[in-house]
Each structure stands twice: as C-alpha cells, then as structure tokens.
C-alpha cells in the first residue's frame, strides 16, 4: 500500500516510474530467443514483445539482420492460442514490416486468422496483413478483403475499410474495384463502419469531381446514422463549394446549413465551423452559425464551451460585428472555471466590444490575470494592443493596464509582448507617445532583460528628442550608464548623443554626461562616447544627421566583402562607401529576432537575398566590370504557370547597366532545350550589350540566362522603358523515360510578356529616422518643386499609397499613415538613387474637390533630382 502511495506521489510530481527506461537493445533481442522455447510462456513472451515495440517507438535503430532474426523467432508464437499474445504478435508484425526481410512468410497464418471463426483475431489480422502486403500479392487476398468489408462483425468491417484507405496509396487501382462492397457497408447500422465506408468511397472517387458530387448528393438525401459520416460529408461539401461558382446558392450550402439543426452536437459544431471559415461569407450567412455557437457558450460541457468560444474568437478577427450579438454570453464566460475558456472569451470581447465597454472589460480582466499562465497573458496583451489601435482615444486606460502588467511577475516572452505592444501603440498613435515613453522609462529602472532595455533606449533616443520636453528623459537614460551592464551602457550613450544632436539647448549637458563615459571599463562604451563627443563638438548639423541621427544603411555582408577586397588590393585612393551595397530591408520593416535570455548571438550575419544575387553575378565573367550591384527587383512572371516553358524575370540594377536575369523551367519531359537566351528589344536609348545563355535546360530543372543592357548615356534622365522579349533555344527531342536526347535539334522561339523598367528600379529604399535633419543635410543645391492635381484618386490614403508604390522610396516618420478626418497631409520619402546619391521627397497633399499635391525633391545629384521630379509628371 505504501508503495502504491509513493508511486502516486511520484506521478503527481512528474516522476512517473517507467519500467522500460534503461532497456538495452542487445539484451532485449537476446531475450527474443525465448520465443523458440517449448512450451510457450504467453505472459513472458508478451512482456518481451512489449519491450521490442517500446524500442522501435523510441527510435532505436534495429539492423535488418537483427529485425529479421527476431521476426522469424516471433512466427513460432502462432502456435499459442493465447488471445493477448496473438494480438501482441499482430502489433509487432505491423511495426517490423519495414525493418525485417521476407515478412510475407506470415501471410498464410494471417489469412487463416482473418477468415477464421475467432472474432478476437480477425480484425487485427486484417490490419497486420494489409501492412505487409504489396501490390503484387494484394490480388491473392482481394476476395477475403471484399468479404471482410461487408462482414456482420463491425470491428472486422471497420478494420477492412481502414486498411483499404491505407492500401489506396500503393494499390489504388485494386481498391477501386471494391466500390460495391464499400457502398453496401455505407448502409450499415454501426456508426464507425458507416463513417469508414463513406471515407473509402470518397477516396476512391476524389479524382472524379462529378463522382464526388454524386456521392455527396446521394448521402445528403438519405439519412445517415453516423455523426462522424456527417462531419466527413460536411468537409467534402465545403471543399466542393470552394471550387464551385454557385457559391451560397448551391444545394451543398443548404445541406451544411441543415446540419446546424442535427441532433448530434458534433455535427452541429462541424457545420458551424465550416460556415464561419468559408471565404467571403456575409453577415446574413454567418448568422445561423453564430447563433448555434452562442448556444454552445452556455453548454454545461467544457469542451463545447471551449470549441464555441475559440471559433468565435477567430470569427471576431474578420467579422467583429457579427460576433457582437454574443457579447453577453461571452461576458458570462469570463468567470469560467476553465481559464483557457475565460481567456478566449475576454480576448474575443476585446475584439468585439464597443468603446464604452473598454473600462469595464479592463476591470474584469484584472481579476483573473494573476491566475493564468504567461502563454495566455500574451494572448490578452496582443488583444489589448489591437483594441488600442481600434479605439485610439482609449489609449490612456489601455496603456495604464499594460504598464501595471509590466510591473507584475512574468517571463521574458511575456514582458517582451507588453513592450512590443507599448512600442506599437506609440508608433501608431502620436497622442500616446509621451504616456508610452513614461511607462517604458519606469520599466527600464527595474528591467532585468538586456534585450528589452537596449530596445527601449533605442526608442527613447529616436522619439524622446522630438517631444515637447525632452530633458525629462535624460535622467532615466543616464541612470542606465551608471547602473547597468556594458551592452545597456553602450545603448544609453547612443541615446544621449541623439538628444545632444537634436536639441541644441541640451547639447552642453549631454557633452558633460558623455565625457564621464570616456573612462568606462568597456571599450565599446568608451569608443562610442569618444566618437559622439567629437562629432557633437563640431556643432555641424550635417555631421549630426549623417553620423548620429541617421545611421549607415548598408548591407553588413556587403560592407565586410568590400572592406576585405579593399585590404587585399592596396590602393592610394580612399575607401568609397558608395561601393558598398545598401541594406535591402529598411530597419522599420525588420522584425525583432526571436531572442531568449540564454540565446547565443549569431557568429555571422545572414546574407540577404541581394547579397546572394551579388555573389552569383560576380561569378559571371561578363559582369565583373559592371561595378557593385545596386538593387535587385522582385521576380516578375513572364509566362503562365501552366505553359510548356515557365519564365520569370529579376532586374539587377548597376550604376550604368541593368542585368535581366531570366529563370527558365522546361515543363515538357520529351524535350531538352540548349543554348537558351532571351532576346530583348529595348526602347530608344537602351542598348543590349550581351547575352549569357543557359547551356542546357532538361525537363523540370531550372536554368538561368542573362541579358545585359546599357542605360542611356546621351539622356541620363531617360531611365524608364518597356522591353519586348522572345525566348530562343535549340530543341532536342528526348526519351521521356531515360532523358537521352537526339543528336540533332532545331531552332525554335517562344514569345514572352513584356518587361517594364520603372523609376523604382533605380531607387533603393532607405529609412531616415530623423527626416528633418536629413532634409537640412542634403540642402537646397539640387531642389526641384512642382504642383500637380491628382485626378484619378479620391482619398488621401489612396494618394499616399500610389505615390509610395510609384516612387519605390521608403516612407519616413510614419508619414504613410494618414490620420482620420484630416483634409491635408505631408508625406516624407527617402531613398538612394543609382550611383549612391541621396534623394528625399516631401509631398504635401490637400483634399478639396480633388487632391492637389505639391512635391519637393532634394538630392545630392542634379540628375537624380530631375529624374524623380520628371517621373511624377
């Protein structure tokens, strides 16, 4: 009795005693020789077979020879009539079917068992037999399988039907001949037999769309006993509806809707789930499904309540108004004893609730936040963030709640979710900036996570100087210099420097504070302090903008490669930063890496897509003299995906050239293409210099061909054009089976879609965190200004989107977000023009009868300013 109590306690503590924990493969296989002893000891043999099964399922590697010896020894156990032992033998046969050789030796024994009178053997024997049978032997047992499918014993019939489903993968043609037996089984009174029979019939006919439609139509008209069969029919009907053009007018949708009134809760939920997950459903079509889920919310069964609230939670993302009718039932679930249900209920309410209910919801959430796990707390945090973006005026209440959660106990992921939410709210809602920064300043006073502290300091350095009273943040930042580790101290020094660079009145104080870090114990902190001090003492706005407020936007991998190349070949000329490729992904679009407190920093920065392209192009001799790669476009399809030749184009822009990369795939298995090129006919001014052909294009293997085009020299502002393309190649017919081509071939060609070179192909996006400083830094030397009437757009949002898409530049300071109910807006764009010239655009938009735009372009190069300004007109 004491032993039982101890075992129970160990189980509760998570230390369940596993009798097979320290099994040795060798000793178990030695024990398997016991199978040869007479008389057979069923109890002992069962125990040994259990050990063998345990080893296999734990992933222990058993060699073919060892598995075969054990398998043949096990065949002796068929002499025993012990039911438990026989069923263990069947299980082991199934598991060892792929490990041992000559397993078909037991076919006759299994056939005898499946056709015998002992019902305890028959079902398991069928499953084992079908596991070891291949397509050549299946015909010999086909007669027995047909009989088993229509057998009166439900377990035998179900075993035969499920085995048929497995056999469909290898011997589909044979199983298709059993359609009559499966149809007969579908009228069985047993719910599992009926379910499996419908499944088999569907898999037999699933390649025949008309056959599947008839199958569904037949079963929807007759009443099935099995709720599982109804669930399967609902899923098949949903799949057919997705492919049909009739949509909600189809009888299939009517069938799914009638299932909402079925007596089985399983079928009702399946029908409701199918309706709410259909694309493009209207509120009227959703209504009956929502009503059913609403009833389930008050069910005494926790599983039904959970299923209903989880489904409503998903629906609320797309159709919050439709779920709003369930708000009263959802509020009752906030106090549910199951905390998973309570959390889902509250997050659903946060998506569907009105602005007036926010305060009440926050009070209700606070009552149980301490009782749920961090995982569910993160779900709540994300829902609160969405609610804050939905109701911006409620940011005060919601941010106070998030701040109180920050002060509570919790793990890194939970704290990071809250910080991410606060930062997201600050960035989306300018009115929330000061309150959000104040909450984050309080948090870093006690923050134990370096990653979060450095991120908040970076945000303070970017946003703090532009607040009405920036000086109040200095204390919080300097405290980090005194109290924290080296990584946080370095981030704090950088943040202080940004305050000094942006706010002239604070510069003397910042210089004093930075000078105290010159003797820091960490070299990174000392180096940053020294660098920033020297830049600030110059009192030069251009230097402040270039080296403090707006950092380098270069590819780290490209910078490393350029510096290495420069050191390998000594030169008297200075290293030119314009030779370094730009970072292809602006900082604002980079997602925070999944960092854990114990995560090790990567030894090497991962190469971007453009770095990979640069390396590939550098390996082509014809392109080595083109200089550094400036930009690579996204791939554009030049053919339909179903055509015989599939071609897509990627444009690689260099200083004075564009290289067109064509990725070609041959989808014909009886042809091999050789000497494949894409002949281009450019518009005036562009000149095709060379072609790099793909030597061979076998079936299904992608190949690459390049075309190099020189940009216009006489008129540098002419940078936009359309190119017509023709795929040219030598065709050689080949044997589809062997792939051996004929010796002789013939020339052929294939017309492709046109390729357009737009202004965005010549500009690389660059983020300027402080646009005003960059605007002053570039200066008025090359400034172009003009006014346009945008007649094709009706709203400021559309105008902003069209301008950003057309220019291919990076929106700065969140100016791509147009505040609600505004009749005027200013859009800031930044980029680098081909050749490394900075380009800034300020577009002032006014909404009256139409939209008027005043656009100002500044650049460090006159040609770049002219090109950008002309592209708008």
């Amino acid at each position: 009795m004491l032993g039982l109590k101890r075992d129970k306690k160990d189980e509760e503590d998570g230390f369940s005693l596993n009798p097979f924990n320290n099994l040795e493969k060798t000793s178990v296989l030695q024990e398997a020789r016991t199978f040869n002893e007479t008389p057979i000891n069923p109890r002992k043999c069962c125990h040994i077979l259990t050990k063998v099964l345990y080893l296999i399922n734990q992933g222990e590697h058993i060699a073919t020879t060892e598995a075969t010896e054990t398998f043949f020894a096990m065949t002796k156990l068929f002499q025993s009539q012990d039911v438990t032992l026989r069923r263990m033998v069947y299980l082991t046969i199934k598991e060892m079917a792929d490990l041992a050789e000559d397993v078909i030796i037991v076919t006759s024994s299994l056939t005898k068992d499946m056709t015998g009178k002992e019902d305890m053997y028959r079902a398991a024997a069928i499953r084992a037999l079908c596991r070891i049978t291949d397509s050549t032997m299946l015909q010999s047992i086909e007669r027995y399988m047909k009989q088993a499918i229509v057998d009166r014993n439900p377990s035998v019939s179900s075993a035969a039907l499920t085995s048929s489903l497995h056999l469909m993968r290898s011997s589909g043609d044979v199983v298709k001949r059993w359609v009559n037996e499966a149809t007969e089984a579908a009228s069985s009174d047993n719910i599992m037999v009926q379910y499996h029979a419908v499944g088999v019939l569907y898999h037999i006919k699933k390649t025949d769309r008309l056959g599947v439609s008839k199958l569904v139509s037949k079963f929807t008209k007759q009443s099935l006993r099995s709720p599982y069969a109804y669930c399967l029919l609902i899923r098949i009907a949903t799949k057919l509806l997705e492919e049909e053009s009739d949509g909600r007018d189809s009888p299939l949708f009517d069938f799914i809707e009638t299932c909402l009134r079925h007596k089985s809760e399983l079928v009702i939920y399946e029908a409701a789930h199918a309706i709410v997950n259909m694309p493009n459903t209207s509120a009227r079509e959703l209504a009956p499904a929502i009503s059913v889920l609403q009833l389930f919310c008050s069910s005494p069964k926790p599983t039904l309540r959970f299923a209903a609230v989880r489904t409503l939670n998903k629906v609320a993302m797309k159709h919050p108004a439709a779920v709003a009718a369930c708000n009263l039932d959802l509020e009752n679930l906030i106090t549910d004893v199951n905390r998973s249900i309570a959390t889902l209920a509250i997050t659903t309410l946060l998506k569907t609730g009105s602005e007036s209910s926010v305060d009440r919801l926050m009070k209700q959430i606070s009552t149980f936040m301490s009782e749920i796990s961090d995982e569910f707390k993160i779900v709540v945090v994300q829902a609160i963030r969405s609610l804050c973006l939905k109701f911006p005026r409620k940011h005060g209440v919601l941010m106070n709640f998030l701040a109180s959660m920050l002060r509570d106990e919790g793990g890194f992921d939970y704290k990071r979710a809250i910080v991410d939410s606060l930062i997201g709210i600050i960035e989306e809602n300018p009115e929330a900036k000061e309150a959000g920064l104040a909450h984050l300043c309080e948090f870093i006073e006690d923050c134990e996570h370096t990653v979060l502290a450095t991120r908040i300091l970076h945000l303070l350095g970017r946003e703090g100087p532009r607040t009405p009273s920036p000086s109040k943040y200095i204390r919080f930042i300097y405290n980090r210099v005194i109290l924290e580790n080296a990584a946080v101290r370095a981030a704090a020094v950088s943040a202080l420097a940004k305050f000094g660079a942006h706010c002239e009145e604070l510069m003397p104080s910042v210089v004093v504070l930075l000078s105290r870090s010159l003797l820091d114990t960490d070299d990174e902190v000392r180096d940053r302090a020294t660098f920033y001090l020297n830049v600030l003492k110059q009192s030069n706005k251009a230097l402040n903008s270039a080296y403090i407020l707006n950092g380098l936007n270069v590819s780290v991998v490209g910078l490393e490669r350029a510096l290495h190349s420069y050191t390998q070949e000594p030169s008297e000329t200075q290293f030119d930063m314009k030779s370094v490729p730009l970072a292809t992904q602006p900082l604002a679009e980079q997602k925070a890496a999944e960092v854990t407190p114990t995560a090790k920093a990567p030894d090497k920065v991962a190469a971007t897509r453009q770095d990979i392209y640069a390396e590939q192009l550098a390996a082509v001799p014809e392109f080595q003299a083109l200089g550094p790669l400036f930009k690579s476009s996204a791939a554009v399809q030049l053919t339909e995906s179903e055509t015989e030749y599939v071609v897509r184009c990627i444009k690689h822009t260099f200083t004075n050239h564009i290289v067109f990369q064509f990725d070609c795939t041959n989808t014909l298995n009886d042809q091999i293409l050789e000497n494949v090129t894409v002949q281009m006919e450019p518009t005036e001014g562009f000149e095709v210099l060379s072609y790099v052909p793909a030597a061979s294009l076998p079936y299904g293997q992608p190949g690459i061909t390049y075309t190099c085009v020189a940009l216009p020299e006489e008129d540098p502002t002419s940078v936009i054009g359309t190119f017509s393309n023709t795929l040219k190649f030598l065709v050689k017919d080949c044997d589809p089976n062997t792939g051996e081509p004929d010796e002789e071939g013939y020339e052929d060609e294939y017309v492709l879609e046109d390729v357009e070179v737009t202004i965005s192909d010549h500009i690389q996006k660059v983020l300027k965190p402080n646009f005003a400083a960059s605007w002053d830094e570039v200066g008025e030397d090359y400034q172009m200004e003009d006014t346009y009437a945008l007649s094709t757009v009706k709203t400021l949002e559309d105008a902003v989107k069209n301008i950003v898409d057309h220019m291919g530049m990076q929106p700065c300071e969140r100016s791509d977000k147009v505040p609600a109910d505004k009749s005027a807006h200013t859009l800031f764009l930044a980029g680098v023009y081909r050749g490394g010239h900075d380009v800034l655009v300020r577009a002032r938009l006014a909404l009256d009868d139409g939209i008027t735009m005043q656009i100002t372009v500044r650049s460090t190069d006159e040609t770049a300013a002219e090109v950008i300004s002309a592209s708008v007109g």
Side-chain angles (χ1 to χ4, degrees):
M1 194 67 186
L2 286 170
L4 284 172
K5 284 182 180 175
R6 188 176 64 252
D7 288 353
K8 181 70 178 171
K9 185 177 185 305
D10 288 340
E11 207 171 286
E12 287 171 358
D13 294 341
F15 300 107
S16 57
L17 299 173
N18 185 348
F20 303 119
N21 249 348
N22 301 310
L23 279 184
E24 290 267 345
K25 181 184 76 172
T26 314
S27 61
V28 172
L29 296 180
Q30 283 285 117
E31 285 183 62
R33 295 181 181 178
T34 310
F35 300 156
N36 295 314
E37 294 177 0
T38 43
I40 293 169
N41 184 337
R43 187 182 177 85
K44 186 177 181 182
C45 291
C46 274
H47 192 62
I48 295 167
L49 287 174
T50 307
K51 290 180 182 179
V52 172
L53 288 169
Y54 179 82
L55 288 175
I56 293 171
N57 282 287
Q58 289 298 306
E60 187 76 48
H61 175 69
I62 299 177
T64 306
T65 311
E66 296 170 331
T68 305
E69 286 177 6
T70 307
F71 187 85
F72 273 82
M74 184 182 63
T75 58
K76 304 284 178 64
L77 300 180
F78 274 101
Q79 296 169 15
S80 172
Q81 296 304 310
D82 186 85
V83 175
T84 308
L85 178 59
R86 183 67 61 88
R87 290 169 71 86
M88 284 297 293
V89 169
Y90 295 145
L91 277 175
T92 315
I93 289 172
K94 285 168 64 180
E95 292 295 332
M96 299 189 80
D98 295 327
L99 301 175
E101 292 177 339
D102 301 324
V103 289
I104 56 173
I105 197 167
V106 293
T107 302
S108 58
S109 299
L110 291 172
T111 307
K112 181 183 173 185
D113 282 353
M114 75 176 275
T115 56
K117 294 179 181 178
E118 181 57 70
D119 285 342
M120 293 293 285
Y121 294 165
R122 293 174 64 202
I126 290 169
R127 284 192 286 269
L129 183 60
C130 290
R131 185 73 178 81
I132 65 169
T133 302
D134 56 19
S135 54
T136 55
M137 289 190 58
L138 183 58
Q139 294 183 7
S140 63
I141 63 164
E142 185 177 2
R143 179 165 57 89
Y144 304 124
M145 287 297 294
K146 285 182 174 182
Q147 290 171 358
I149 288 172
V150 294
D151 198 275
R152 290 180 182 177
N153 188 316
S155 63
V156 175
S157 184
S158 265
L161 288 164
T162 51
S163 298
S164 303
L165 284 169
H166 292 299
L167 289 168
M168 280 290 294
R169 298 172 195 161
S170 57
S171 312
D173 293 337
V174 179
V175 177
K176 283 178 181 178
R177 298 202 291 262
W178 307 345
V179 66
N180 292 334
E181 285 73 20
T183 306
E184 189 180 332
S187 57
S188 168
D189 290 340
N190 185 276
I191 59 173
M192 292 310 293
V193 173
Q194 195 172 61
Y195 166 56
H196 292 140
V198 173
V200 170
L201 287 170
Y202 169 67
H203 281 278
I204 287 172
K205 299 181 180 183
K206 69 178 178 182
T207 52
D208 174 16
R209 198 179 181 288
L210 184 61
V212 174
S213 297
K214 286 181 178 177
L215 178 75
V216 175
S217 178
K218 175 188 171 183
F219 285 122
T220 52
K221 288 173 185 173
Q222 70 182 61
S223 180
L224 296 171
R225 294 176 64 88
S226 171
Y228 307 112
Y230 266 113
C231 289
L232 182 59
L233 279 178
I234 290 168
R235 292 184 183 185
I236 298 168
T238 307
K239 196 173 180 184
L240 288 173
L241 269 174
E242 288 173 7
E243 300 164 4
E244 277 188 3
S245 55
D246 296 347
R248 310 300 176 260
D249 298 327
S250 167
L252 292 173
F253 186 80
D254 294 337
F255 161 69
I256 295 173
E257 214 166 27
T258 57
C259 288
L260 291 171
R261 296 181 287 279
H262 196 272
K263 61 183 178 182
S264 167
E265 292 166 338
L266 189 70
V267 177
I268 296 170
Y269 174 74
E270 187 65 41
H273 182 266
I275 291 171
V276 300
N277 282 289
M278 284 179 190
N280 307 319
T281 43
S282 66
R284 187 180 63 80
E285 290 153 358
L286 281 174
I290 299 289
S291 300
V292 163
L293 294 171
Q294 187 176 2
L295 288 172
F296 282 176
C297 285
S298 53
S299 167
K301 298 178 182 176
T303 48
L304 275 181
R305 295 200 304 276
F306 178 79
V309 75
R310 188 166 179 264
T311 309
L312 288 170
N313 188 280
K314 286 184 178 179
V315 179
M317 292 178 188
K318 287 186 179 178
H319 306 281
V323 182
C326 309
N327 280 2
L328 191 61
D329 299 271
L330 291 169
E331 285 190 27
N332 293 333
L333 290 178
I334 293 175
T335 54
D336 198 282
V337 289
N338 186 314
R339 282 303 171 210
S340 300
I341 295 173
T343 308
L344 285 167
I346 198 70
T347 51
T348 309
L349 281 167
L350 290 173
K351 291 169 190 168
T352 62
S354 61
E355 194 165 357
S356 58
S357 65
V358 169
D359 298 281
R360 180 166 47 82
L361 285 173
M362 290 299 106
K363 286 178 184 175
Q364 287 176 305
I365 295 172
S366 58
T367 57
F368 73 87
M369 281 300 289
S370 59
E371 300 173 31
I372 60 175
S373 66
D374 279 6
E375 188 180 353
F376 281 120
K377 285 179 183 175
I378 291 169
V379 174
V380 173
V381 168
Q382 290 166 346
I384 291 173
R385 178 183 175 176
S386 301
L387 191 68
C388 197
L389 299 179
K390 185 178 174 183
F391 303 121
R393 286 182 294 184
K394 284 291 180 183
H395 69 81
V397 176
L398 297 167
M399 290 180 85
N400 285 335
F401 186 79
L402 289 173
S404 68
M405 292 168 78
L406 263 183
R407 291 190 289 272
D408 296 338
E409 291 296 318
F412 170 72
D413 288 331
Y414 171 50
K415 298 287 185 181
R416 183 178 61 182
I418 301 172
V419 170
D420 286 347
S421 296
L422 285 170
I423 292 174
I425 294 166
I426 290 168
E427 290 178 344
E428 294 292 332
N429 186 354
E431 293 177 8
K433 183 192 289 186
E434 286 198 63
L437 291 178
H439 290 313
L440 292 172
C441 283
E442 285 181 30
F443 172 61
I444 56 171
E445 290 289 306
D446 301 310
C447 180
E448 57 188 22
H449 305 292
T450 300
V451 173
L452 298 182
T454 52
R455 188 164 176 213
I456 292 167
L457 287 167
H458 173 74
L459 179 77
L460 285 170
R462 193 180 74 215
E463 302 291 346
R466 288 181 280 186
T467 57
S469 53
S471 57
K472 66 182 179 184
Y473 302 108
I474 300 290
R475 173 173 64 87
F476 295 101
I477 297 171
Y478 189 66
N479 281 349
R480 309 282 65 74
V481 177
I482 302 168
L483 302 170
E484 295 286 356
N485 58 42
V488 178
R489 293 202 305 275
V493 165
S494 296
L496 281 173
K498 288 180 181 178
F499 277 82
H502 192 275
C503 311
E504 289 184 18
E505 68 278 8
L506 292 178
M507 211 255 283
S509 304
V510 169
V511 167
V512 172
L513 296 176
L514 288 176
S515 61
R516 294 177 185 175
S517 296
L518 294 175
L519 299 176
D520 195 277
T521 53
D522 184 76
D523 56 350
E524 172 71 18
V525 179
R526 290 197 306 272
D527 290 350
R528 287 196 190 192
T530 305
F531 174 72
Y532 290 136
L533 269 173
N534 281 285
V535 174
L536 288 172
K537 285 177 180 177
Q538 301 295 319
S539 298
N540 185 321
K541 286 187 177 181
L543 286 177
N544 289 348
S545 172
Y547 296 108
I548 299 178
L549 297 173
N550 298 301
L552 286 174
N553 286 285
V554 295
S555 161
V556 176
V557 175
L559 177 61
E560 183 185 356
R561 190 184 295 121
L563 287 169
H564 180 70
S565 174
Y566 183 77
T567 55
Q568 293 295 100
E569 300 172 10
S571 171
E572 293 182 5
T573 58
Q574 292 183 342
F575 179 76
D576 184 9
M577 280 300 292
K578 289 183 180 180
S579 67
V580 180
L582 294 169
T584 54
Q585 189 183 20
L587 294 173
E589 294 175 12
Q590 290 180 6
K591 291 185 178 177
E594 295 297 320
V595 185
T596 58
T598 56
K600 186 184 174 185
D603 295 331
K604 198 171 183 181
V605 178
T608 62
R609 185 174 63 95
Q610 187 164 316
D611 293 326
I612 295 165
Y613 283 141
E615 203 167 320
Q616 290 174 352
L617 293 164
V620 180
E622 288 87 343
F623 305 148
Q624 286 179 354
L626 300 183
L629 175 64
F630 175 71
K631 181 180 181 179
S632 295
S633 72
V636 178
Q637 296 294 336
L638 301 186
T639 60
E640 297 292 334
S641 57
E642 298 83 15
T643 54
E644 52 265 48
Y645 311 117
V646 179
V647 181
R648 64 175 194 163
C649 176
I650 299 160
K651 294 168 279 187
H652 302 293
T653 308
F654 291 83
T655 307
N656 297 307
H657 301 80
I658 294 182
V659 172
F660 295 87
Q661 173 184 324
F662 298 95
D663 296 340
C664 310
T665 306
N666 170 23
T667 63
L668 300 175
N669 62 357
D670 58 351
Q671 286 185 358
I672 287 181
L673 311 185
E674 293 184 354
N675 195 29
V676 182
T677 59
V678 175
Q679 303 289 325
M680 304 186 76
E681 291 184 18
T683 49
E684 190 178 346
F686 293 87
E687 181 188 356
V688 177
L689 297 181
S690 62
Y691 297 100
V692 179
S696 177
L697 211 61
Y699 164 67
Q701 295 182 19
I704 299 175
T705 174
Y706 298 100
T707 302
C708 181
V709 175
L711 293 164
E713 291 183 5
E714 294 180 4
D715 183 8
T717 60
S718 177
V719 296
I720 299 170
T722 303
F723 295 74
S724 56
N725 311 294
T726 307
L727 186 71
K728 296 198 172 183
F729 45 84
L730 179 73
V731 182
K732 287 187 177 179
D733 294 328
C734 68
D735 186 335
N737 298 318
T738 62
E740 286 295 321
D742 296 344
E743 290 185 9
E744 294 184 4
Y746 55 92
E747 299 284 344
D748 201 356
E749 60 182 49
Y750 187 84
V751 178
L752 306 173
E753 297 282 341
D754 291 350
V755 172
E756 287 190 356
V757 174
T758 63
I759 188 66
S760 61
D761 292 317
H762 302 271
I763 299 175
Q764 184 72 277
K765 291 182 178 183
V766 167
L767 182 70
K768 299 289 185 185
N770 194 313
F771 186 84
S774 300
W775 187 258
D776 293 336
E777 179 192 349
V778 171
E780 300 180 9
D781 294 345
Y782 302 113
Q783 177 173 305
M784 309 286 286
E785 189 169 291
D786 216 332
T787 304
Y788 300 92
L790 306 181
S791 56
T792 57
V793 289
K794 304 299 180 188
T795 64
L796 290 174
E797 290 83 356
D798 290 344
V800 167
K801 184 179 182 302
N802 289 352
I803 295 165
V804 172
D805 291 344
H806 174 73
M807 297 282 200
M809 299 171 74
Q810 177 65 29
C812 298
E813 300 188 5
R814 297 182 291 283
S815 60
D816 55 329
K817 304 283 193 302
V818 181
D821 305 323
K822 294 285 184 181
S823 59
H825 183 67
T826 303
L827 172 66
F828 302 122
L829 299 173
V832 173
Y833 185 72
R834 176 171 47 81
H837 308 293
D838 280 341
V839 180
L840 300 175
V841 172
R842 183 184 66 201
R844 288 177 171 152
L845 302 163
L847 176 64
D848 197 0
D849 293 336
I851 292 179
T852 306
M853 175 178 71
Q854 183 195 55
I855 188 166
T856 309
V857 181
R858 283 189 180 183
S859 177
T860 52
D861 178 72
E862 187 176 6
T863 303
E866 288 178 7
V867 168
I868 304 301
S869 184
S871 73
V872 179

